[in-house]
Amino acid sequence: MYPLLHVPVPPTTMLASRSTVAAAVRAKAALPCASAAAPYGARLMSSSSPEAKAKNLVTSVEGVHQTMKVSKAWRSKPLFRRQGDVRFKTGLEAANLLVAEAKRRDAHEPHFIQSVESTMACLSPIFERNPRYAFVAKQLMEPERFIQFRVAWIDDAGSPRMNRGYRIQYSSSIGPYEGAIHLGHHVNSDVIKAFGFDSVFANAVTGFDVGAAVGGSDVNPYDKSEAEIQRFCQSYMTELAKYVGPDLDQPTMGM
């Protein structure tokens, strides 16, 4: 039964008819109000029923710097599915799984493995507070593009020389690729990949919208004349120009 509407009657309208008041009551009853129409007992049961409560998949985690909203679903997702579902419970366990995957895929690249180990050890507390970043780190362990090309040039004696040129375009998640070019007899694919992985985090903290890339060659510039270095650089940039540009990749100075 609907509650009666109490309509205050001013002194100037004391002579209003009872039909006017009845019309106001009927208008109040015609308004849609499902909660008022339902019995009190039914409303009490529906509010206290566990089936009526929506499942909350987001929990608040108090971290060192702030309180974050973390989805519970990330902890139940498998980090790897190569030979069955592999899940992790702690941030350190996630870091160990990522390092083990890097060793399995790139066991012949010790510099890259060392870079991954040191980085994941630093990121394990972040994986603990927010597990979804472990899946982001899994994507960052593989570069977007690795380019290797031949660099042919002529020395001062007129003999043709040959070196290997590299350019790894590691990540463009923030912006166009940007990174240094390293020259030295120690430069190989392992060193370039390790530098590229480190540059992902080094460029991210600069505040500029640039991605991560590294290039180089195994030429030794210390035993070359200026003319030989010039001819080598011209040959190197002629090949590299096919893959770089203002909005794609921006090479910078290196060591």
Side-chain angles (χ1 to χ4, degrees):
M1 183 176 179
Y2 296 102
L4 294 178
L5 177 64
H6 298 282
V7 181
V9 181
T12 57
T13 59
M14 291 297 292
L15 299 180
S17 62
R18 296 178 61 183
S19 61
T20 306
V21 179
V25 173
R26 288 193 296 269
K28 176 67 175 179
L31 294 177
C33 185
S35 60
Y40 175 76
R43 296 199 305 269
L44 183 60
M45 293 179 60
S46 62
S47 61
S48 60
S49 176
E51 290 80 10
K53 295 182 179 179
K55 294 183 179 180
N56 187 10
L57 297 179
V58 178
T59 181
S60 297
V61 178
E62 294 185 359
V64 178
H65 304 288
Q66 62 180 349
T67 300
M68 300 179 296
K69 296 293 185 179
V70 181
S71 176
K72 299 177 183 177
W74 286 103
R75 292 195 181 275
S76 61
K77 291 184 178 181
L79 185 60
F80 298 104
R81 305 193 68 178
R82 185 178 65 257
Q83 296 177 352
D85 294 348
V86 179
R87 296 177 173 86
F88 62 92
K89 296 181 179 179
T90 63
L92 182 59
E93 185 177 355
N96 293 335
L97 288 174
L98 292 170
V99 172
E101 179 67 11
K103 291 181 179 180
R104 184 191 70 85
R105 302 181 66 173
D106 303 305
H108 59 286
E109 297 178 344
H111 293 90
F112 176 69
I113 297 298
Q114 182 180 2
S115 180
V116 171
E117 286 178 341
S118 59
T119 302
M120 296 306 164
C122 298
L123 295 179
S124 60
I126 299 179
F127 301 156
E128 182 73 27
R129 294 197 300 267
N130 201 330
R132 66 176 179 176
Y133 288 115
F135 295 85
V136 177
K138 173 186 174 182
Q139 300 293 329
L140 291 178
M141 286 172 51
E142 190 67 25
E144 296 180 4
R145 191 177 295 108
F146 193 100
I147 305 166
Q148 178 177 322
F149 49 89
R150 178 184 61 191
V151 182
W153 54 285
I154 303 297
D155 61 10
D156 291 340
S159 301
R161 305 287 292 272
M162 199 77 61
N163 289 97
R164 286 182 178 178
Y166 305 96
R167 186 66 177 178
I168 183 169
Q169 296 173 343
Y170 211 102
S171 175
S172 60
S173 57
I174 301 179
Y177 305 105
E178 182 174 310
I181 296 177
H182 303 272
L183 303 178
H185 61 84
H186 64 285
V187 175
N188 52 31
S189 59
D190 178 24
V191 174
I192 292 297
K193 192 172 182 179
F195 284 164
F197 183 76
D198 292 337
S199 66
V200 173
F201 305 93
N203 291 0
V205 299
T206 59
F208 298 102
D209 296 334
V210 294
V214 170
S217 179
D218 58 352
V219 65
N220 186 11
Y222 294 104
D223 58 355
K224 305 291 187 299
S225 65
E226 292 187 3
E228 290 176 330
I229 294 177
Q230 180 181 0
R231 287 191 290 270
F232 167 81
C233 291
Q234 289 174 347
S235 179
Y236 179 87
M237 292 307 300
T238 299
E239 296 295 327
L240 186 63
K242 304 173 184 177
Y243 312 102
V244 300
D247 299 326
L248 176 63
D249 192 350
Q250 303 173 12
T252 59
M253 292 188 300
M255 296 185 296

